[in-house]
Amino acid sequence: MDFLFTEEQEMIRQAARDYAERELIKDVLERDEKAEMPTAHIKNLTELGFFGMMVSPEWGGGGMDSLSYVLAMEELSKIDAATSVALSVHNSLVCYGIEKYGNDAQKEKYLRLLATGERIGAFLLSEPEAGSDATSQRTIGEDKGDHYLVNGTKNWITSANLGSVYLVTVQTHPEKKHHGINVLIVDKDTPGITLAPHEDKMGMRSSDTHSVMFSDVKVPRENRIGDDGFGFKFAMKALEAGRIGIAAQAVGIAAGAMERAIQYSKERKAFGKLISEHQAIAFKLADMAVKVEAARNLVYKAAWLKDNGHPFSLASAMAKQFAADSAMEITTEAVQVLGGYGYVKEYHVERLMREAKLTQIYEGTSEIQKIVISRSILK
Amino acid sequence: MKILVCISNVPDTTTKIRFTDNNTAFDATGVQWIINPWDELALTRALELKEASGEAIEKITVINVGPQTTEPTIRKALAIGADDAVRIDAVPEDAYAVASNLSSYLKDNPYDIILCGIDSSDYNGSLVGGMLAEFLDLPSVSSVSKLDIDGGDIKLNREIDGGSEVLSTVVPFVAIVQKGIAFEPRIPSMRGIMMARKKPLNVVPSGGEAALTEFVSYDLPPAKSACKMVDAENVKELVDLLHNEAKAI
Ligand SMILES: Cc1cc2nc3c(=O)[nH]c(=O)nc-3n(C[C@H](O)[C@H](O)[C@H](O)COP(=O)(O)OP(=O)(O)OC[C@H]3O[C@@H](n4cnc5c(N)ncnc54)[C@H](O)[C@@H]3O)c2cc1C
Ligand SMILES: Cc1cc2nc3c(=O)[nH]c(=O)nc-3n(C[C@H](O)[C@H](O)[C@H](O)COP(=O)(O)OP(=O)(O)OC[C@H]3O[C@@H](n4cnc5c(N)ncnc54)[C@H](O)[C@@H]3O)c2cc1C
């Protein structure tokens, strides 16, 4: 067993940290306030090669392992999870999904451009009435021979606006229930697609989230991934990988809040001593450190299993549930450590707390992770 | 044209400095090593110049005098964009030994522009660049805050007390660079990081002279005492503290 990072992994972590500390920090509060998309950052991170970093060089990607990606996610999320979520969706859902399950023609046409970040990917599974229960897809993809005719609405879609390659799950054979679901690669500029206004959210306000409406959208048959009816399985497999990214994001949010709490506790005095010298505060910091470390190790292990070709569905569910729930606890306690200052925006921890909440919801709520975990251990 | 950037391997600027062996040696346990910040900026400027030059600047080399443990730092420079690297295999015992090693290599492997930092963030010697130019018998310009190449025309801004001078020179020369030389260091791209191991890193034996100085011992500066806050309204108290306690006025 080896817990040391390679030189490259360290360099990637440092590169992500440098970008976050130099660039993301500059406008993160303003973008949060105004719910402004991080368009320029996405472009810069693309130039640095973070978008598509795990895609094989054969398709023009960076050829990096999941551990490198997890380190990048963690560092960016310490400062700005609203930006890092686009990276997670792009890399671990869209690129991974097409690279693993798409055919060569689809890879040639879409993966090549996704691998360099020339096009950004979005993953359209959730619907107004199909969230945790992704089997009850109402978006219809009617089989018209050479194309599918898509009608329906997808909800809360990250990168709906910035992205241009959509992976859309549709129901083709309602009578077959989830065995009738397909996943289609859809170009955003296909006629019949419209976006609802940007969602006004509690946290990750600057991340690009919209509902997407499909009205008689024609998608060529060759854009279907896998055999007829493979869509649900595809979505579940992609989410297994996606959870590693979101778990890493949660670790970053938690670690970012913890670092700010530690720093503050060594500067703020109350009752004649530094608050870090009050045991009640010091113990809070100790609890945070243990949870961050435990979450980190779960995430790294899930990434390691994936990189080494082992099953990782249980590991990624555990990592996501524990990291997300810990992030919520840690950010809440970080606000407490900063007292009144923690509650004002300038000090960042209240924002991290709002961001942490989302990690317990998307890509499978914490409850859904527990379903995955309990089913697996009760098998 | 070829540019050489001399890089020093230094502890991360946030390192807590500790000593061992009765304060005679630096304790490197747990230290994160980085490219000396000036050298990273020098490299960034070299890359900018190369990119703007078309074909005129054919390559950028980084060079370090150090043991094998400095290679991760050298590879970071390759990841940022240097074309190749040289490591002179010697422990950099003092600035004289470093400059002498660099010059013995450069006598057989000349470069047009040699960039050094104004000082290394560990020992702050501010010596290597000047010594190197002297050993090589080359013109050198110190405190360079700007370096431009326009065809064969080379312009350097040099910071002086209360202003700056603009100088011109011809290749080959040594520029000792400081703040301003580049806006901020470049972040390596993922591609750069993956390429770093594939770029040449030539290890050459030490050809320089031995050090002229030797460490006797180190002392840490006295710990900073806690900062005292004085109410903005209370100028009298401030003056009193500055006069009687800090004895600053
Ligand atoms: C900002 C944001 C971005 C998002 N981005 C995307 C995206 O890019 N693509 C995408 O497809 N989706 C995206 N989503 C959707 C997200 O994945 C869903 O919101 C999530 O899966 C939960 O679905 P729901 O909101 O319908 O909640 P519901 O499924 O209605 O759940 C409500 C509550 O019931 C609980 N619950 C549900 N079923 C069970 C059960 N069987 N046992 C126990 N408890 C249960 C849930 O845990 C939750 O607490 C995003 C959401 C948000 C808020
Ligand atoms: C007495 C003494 C003993 C030392 N002993 C050791 C030791 O045992 N082990 C050890 O690792 N270090 C040791 N050092 C530190 C090491 O020698 C320094 O790298 C060297 O002295 C240059 O530091 P400086 O502060 O004089 O450089 P400066 O003159 O301040 O550096 C200016 C510029 O010179 C260039 N430069 C500096 N050092 C190098 C280098 N090594 N390779 C390439 N370019 C360089 C860089 O461009 C740098 O920006 C010692 C230093 C001193 C003074």
Side-chain angles (χ1 to χ4, degrees):
Chain A
M1 218 178 207
D2 185 355
F3 283 97
L4 298 176
F5 297 121
T6 64
E7 205 176 296
E8 283 78 9
Q9 287 162 345
E10 276 299 348
M11 268 197 251
I12 291 161
R13 175 211 282 287
Q14 193 61 48
R17 177 180 301 176
D18 284 347
Y19 188 80
E21 289 178 354
R22 275 190 225 159
E23 305 298 331
L24 292 176
I25 193 75
K26 281 187 194 156
D27 60 351
V28 64
L29 293 177
E30 193 186 335
R31 275 185 289 111
D32 179 64
E33 171 82 31
K34 298 186 178 159
E36 251 171 37
M37 286 193 297
T39 316
H41 294 298
I42 304 265
K43 185 168 170 285
N44 295 340
L45 289 167
T46 294
E47 278 164 16
L48 287 171
F50 286 105
F51 282 81
M53 63 189 284
M54 286 186 290
V55 176
S56 152
E58 187 192 340
W59 298 106
M64 292 173 166
D65 58 11
S66 308
L67 205 47
S68 301
Y69 160 65
V70 157
L71 294 174
M73 277 302 293
E74 187 181 324
E75 291 301 333
L76 296 171
S77 308
K78 279 184 186 172
I79 308 256
D80 181 9
T83 298
S84 75
V85 62
L87 189 66
S88 182
V89 169
H90 180 88
N91 284 330
S92 46
L93 292 175
V94 181
C95 289
Y96 171 78
I98 297 180
E99 184 166 16
K100 178 121 182 155
Y101 299 106
N103 60 35
D104 280 0
Q106 291 164 346
K107 291 183 195 175
E108 198 56 62
K109 182 161 178 206
Y110 294 102
L111 187 59
R112 260 192 205 291
L113 298 173
L114 291 162
T116 55
E118 200 166 313
R119 295 183 71 178
I120 301 292
F123 189 79
L124 295 78
L125 173 68
S126 303
E127 299 185 355
E129 285 166 272
S132 301
D133 180 9
T135 57
S136 48
Q137 296 278 304
R138 304 269 167 92
T139 300
I140 299 297
E142 208 183 325
D143 189 341
K144 293 282 195 185
D146 66 339
H147 69 271
Y148 288 93
L149 193 64
V150 180
N151 279 288
T153 300
K154 295 289 176 180
N155 248 23
W156 304 299
I157 301 308
T158 303
S159 299
N161 194 356
L162 286 168
S164 67
V165 176
Y166 286 180
L167 288 186
V168 186
T169 48
V170 296
Q171 181 53 274
T172 304
H173 315 283
E175 71 289 356
K176 292 192 195 164
K177 306 224 170 85
H178 66 276
H179 295 298
I181 294 173
N182 278 310
V183 64
L184 308 174
I185 309 175
V186 182
D187 287 286
K188 179 189 162 193
D189 57 10
T190 314
I193 297 179
T194 44
L195 267 58
H198 190 205
E199 296 286 355
D200 190 7
K201 305 188 290 296
M202 167 187 180
M204 305 226 196
R205 293 175 48 74
S206 119
S207 91
D208 172 26
T209 323
H210 300 258
S211 288
V212 182
M213 277 78 75
F214 294 81
S215 166
D216 287 339
V217 177
K218 278 183 171 181
V219 182
R221 188 176 196 84
E222 68 257 26
N223 281 21
R224 186 188 75 208
I225 295 183
D227 294 335
D228 191 17
F230 178 64
F232 186 72
K233 179 125 194 257
F234 172 89
M236 294 303 111
K237 286 285 167 199
L239 285 170
E240 281 176 15
R243 279 167 193 150
I244 299 179
I246 300 302
Q249 178 181 61
V251 168
I253 294 170
M258 176 180 77
E259 284 168 16
R260 287 178 191 278
I262 292 174
Q263 172 83 20
Y264 185 82
S265 74
K266 295 199 286 190
E267 288 162 6
R268 178 73 175 178
K269 276 190 174 165
F271 297 95
K273 51 184 177 182
L274 291 170
I275 60 169
S276 60
E277 291 162 359
H278 292 290
Q279 199 178 56
I281 297 294
F283 277 20
K284 275 190 205 299
L285 299 173
D287 286 341
M288 289 181 191
V290 173
K291 281 180 193 151
V292 166
E293 191 60 19
R296 224 175 231 152
N297 280 301
L298 284 172
V299 178
Y300 295 170
K301 180 166 174 205
W304 183 89
L305 289 170
K306 176 168 174 275
D307 286 337
N308 288 280
H310 302 290
F312 58 90
S313 125
L314 175 62
S316 72
M318 284 182 168
K320 186 189 179 260
Q321 185 251 308
F322 185 78
D325 291 353
S326 300
M328 199 62 240
E329 292 164 16
I330 290 167
T331 52
T332 308
E333 285 295 69
V335 171
Q336 194 66 19
V337 170
L338 270 78
Y341 293 95
Y343 203 68
V344 298
K345 300 209 164 180
E346 202 188 325
Y347 286 79
H348 294 277
V349 287
E350 66 81 30
R351 177 177 55 80
L352 291 167
M353 181 176 162
R354 289 184 279 116
E355 289 175 347
K357 189 65 219 166
L358 187 52
T359 64
Q360 294 179 299
I361 297 173
Y362 59 16
E363 299 207 12
T365 63
S366 287
E367 291 75 18
I368 294 303
Q369 305 308 325
K370 288 185 194 180
I371 294 177
V372 174
I373 295 163
S374 58
R375 273 191 195 144
S376 171
I377 59 174
L378 290 169
K379 243 198 306 225
Chain B
M1 198 186 293
K2 295 193 296 182
I3 304 183
L4 180 77
V5 183
C6 302
I7 62 168
S8 169
N9 176 50
V10 298
D12 183 273
T13 43
T14 59
T15 309
K16 230 190 172 124
I17 302 296
R18 293 191 184 85
F19 299 107
T20 56
D21 295 339
N22 249 336
N23 282 353
T24 57
F26 171 60
D27 181 1
T29 329
V31 169
Q32 191 72 39
W33 297 90
I34 60 167
I35 305 170
N36 185 36
W38 301 131
D39 307 346
E40 207 174 6
L41 286 177
L43 174 59
T44 301
R45 184 61 192 148
L47 291 166
E48 290 166 0
L49 289 171
K50 185 180 171 208
E51 284 154 9
S53 81
E55 307 279 289
I57 297 174
E58 71 218 65
K59 91 169 171 172
I60 298 169
T61 303
V62 291
I63 192 165
N64 169 260
V65 180
Q68 203 197 345
T69 49
T70 66
E71 287 189 3
T73 302
I74 299 175
R75 273 192 290 273
K76 169 93 185 273
L78 291 171
I80 291 173
D83 298 295
D84 60 7
V86 176
R87 179 172 69 80
I88 303 180
D89 192 23
V91 176
E93 283 178 329
D94 73 358
Y96 182 82
V98 169
S100 152
N101 265 302
L102 291 172
S103 74
S104 90
Y105 176 80
L106 292 172
K107 274 182 184 139
D108 302 326
N109 303 277
Y111 280 79
D112 302 286
I113 299 179
I114 299 172
L115 302 178
C116 282
I118 192 162
D119 65 2
S120 65
S121 66
D122 51 357
Y123 290 88
N124 301 105
S126 296
L127 292 167
V128 172
M131 282 184 180
L132 176 61
E134 197 58 30
F135 281 142
L136 292 172
D137 211 5
L138 289 181
S140 75
V141 183
S142 63
S143 307
V144 173
S145 59
K146 212 161 167 259
L147 167 61
D148 286 306
I149 305 176
D150 187 5
D153 244 15
I154 290 165
K155 278 224 167 67
L156 303 114
N157 282 39
R158 191 177 162 268
E159 295 305 306
I160 53 173
D161 221 7
S164 80
E165 9 177 88
V166 182
L167 301 158
S168 77
T169 185
V170 289
V171 294
F173 68 93
V174 177
I176 300 162
V177 308
Q178 62 151 347
K179 190 170 169 183
I181 188 67
F183 178 59
E184 55 185 10
R186 216 173 255 200
I187 296 173
S189 71
M190 300 302 107
R191 196 166 299 273
I193 291 170
M194 292 315 258
M195 293 278 291
R197 265 186 213 277
K198 300 195 180 95
K199 291 180 176 174
L201 194 174
N202 306 311
V203 180
V204 301
S206 164
E209 291 176 51
L212 295 180
T213 52
E214 189 188 330
F215 276 108
V216 181
S217 73
Y218 295 98
D219 279 319
L220 281 173
K224 267 199 211 128
S225 51
C227 159
K228 241 182 212 163
M229 303 298 280
V230 181
D231 200 281
E233 309 289 293
N234 209 341
V235 179
K236 202 169 166 301
E237 188 190 342
L238 177 66
V239 173
D240 185 61
L241 282 172
L242 284 172
H243 186 67
N244 295 318
E245 211 178 293
K247 304 209 187 301
I249 53 171

